[in-house]
Amino acid sequence: MQIVQINNAADAAEAMQEIGVTRRGAEIMAEKALFQAIRLERVDTRAANILKQAMLSQGAEAAVSAATINLAAPYTDVLVLATVAQLRRAIPRLKEQPWGLKAVAGELEAYIDGVMAGK
């Protein structure tokens, strides 16, 4: 047995090709193969609560400070834990939200586009 770490879209494509996945299958699964841990700094706590719910609705996660749920602090850092596919599905929902989430959605979109382009 050998463990092979998949770090980017090229690695995922290569691994799928090596095991005989069809081209179409690889296209479908590529964004599911890439797990991301992304730290967002100084997110409005109201936005962080919405962001967490958006991630959970996609089967992903967002870790926030304990002060987020009751808005005890104005800002929190957020650790988003998701596949590229989960992020892509959450972005349209985030673009509809207030408190800076449109900008967060744009930054996440640019980030995952870079991941998929191998940047």
Side-chain angles (χ1 to χ4, degrees):
M1 180 180 84
Q2 180 182 4
I3 295 174
V4 177
Q5 187 172 358
I6 307 298
N7 295 314
N8 54 52
D11 288 350
E14 182 180 344
M16 286 188 233
Q17 182 180 9
E18 287 174 355
I19 65 170
V21 174
T22 65
R23 183 182 307 245
R24 180 65 183 134
E27 289 171 1
I28 292 168
M29 292 183 278
E31 291 187 352
K32 297 175 186 177
L34 301 174
F35 184 82
Q36 303 295 304
I38 304 164
R39 183 175 178 164
L40 305 172
E41 297 178 334
R42 282 191 58 81
V43 176
D44 182 299
T45 52
R46 298 168 297 180
N49 280 310
I50 294 170
L51 179 58
K52 182 167 181 76
Q53 291 303 312
M55 291 300 113
L56 289 172
S57 76
Q58 299 307 315
E61 184 59 89
V64 298
S65 74
T68 302
I69 191 70
N70 63 358
L71 306 176
Y75 299 98
T76 182
D77 288 359
V78 179
L79 184 59
V80 175
L81 308 167
T83 66
V84 169
Q86 291 165 328
L87 288 166
R88 275 217 204 273
R89 290 192 307 266
I91 285 170
R93 291 177 173 87
L94 295 175
K95 286 181 177 179
E96 298 173 349
Q97 301 300 325
W99 301 306
L101 283 172
K102 288 175 188 68
V104 168
E107 290 180 35
L108 288 172
E109 194 167 41
Y111 173 81
I112 61 176
D113 286 346
V115 167
M116 293 310 295
K119 298 177 183 173

